[in-house]
Amino acid sequence: MPNPKALPPAVQATPAKLSVWADQTGTPYLVQQQADGSTIFTPLETALAQAQPPTAPERVTTYREPLNTVLLGIAVVLGFVLGGYVLGFLAGAAGQRVVLVPRSPLCDTHRSSFLFWSSETKECN
């Protein structure tokens, strides 16, 4: 008893051989040679009209999904940051140097007094 859930065996369809012929009047025909040896002649205009049915044009929208917009913005910001690092690296490789000019130290003065006694401390950075 055959299994009712079993799929039928796969049938390999051999593709039909196609060629174009013209008769004595110059009318082109599409010639299809089937696997069983039969030959079908179809006017070329009819075959092309059947092969390509007219399709409705697709609407093109410029709407983007919010996640795509956020990811695109992050990629642009990272691109600018990495571009700045690359430019800085290239400037350093070209021999330009950054010079830091030292400044006078900042000092904080703390004064405290108690009755007749006073003190003063300086903290410098």
Side-chain angles (χ1 to χ4, degrees), residues 11-87:
V11 177
Q12 295 238 349
T14 57
K17 295 180 184 178
L18 301 176
S19 59
V20 177
W21 292 84
D23 60 5
Q24 286 99 4
T25 62
T27 306
Y29 290 94
L30 179 67
V31 180
Q32 295 177 334
Q33 295 178 347
Q34 302 294 334
D36 61 356
S38 64
T39 304
I40 300 173
F41 291 90
T42 309
L44 190 59
E45 292 178 6
T46 307
L48 290 176
Q50 291 173 354
Q52 298 175 354
T55 58
E58 294 182 21
R59 283 186 59 188
V60 177
T61 61
T62 58
Y63 174 74
R64 295 178 190 238
E65 294 185 19
L67 179 62
N68 289 348
T69 305
V70 169
L71 291 176
L72 183 63
I74 290 172
V76 167
V77 169
L78 284 176
F80 278 123
V81 169
L82 292 176
Y85 280 121
V86 168
L87 284 177

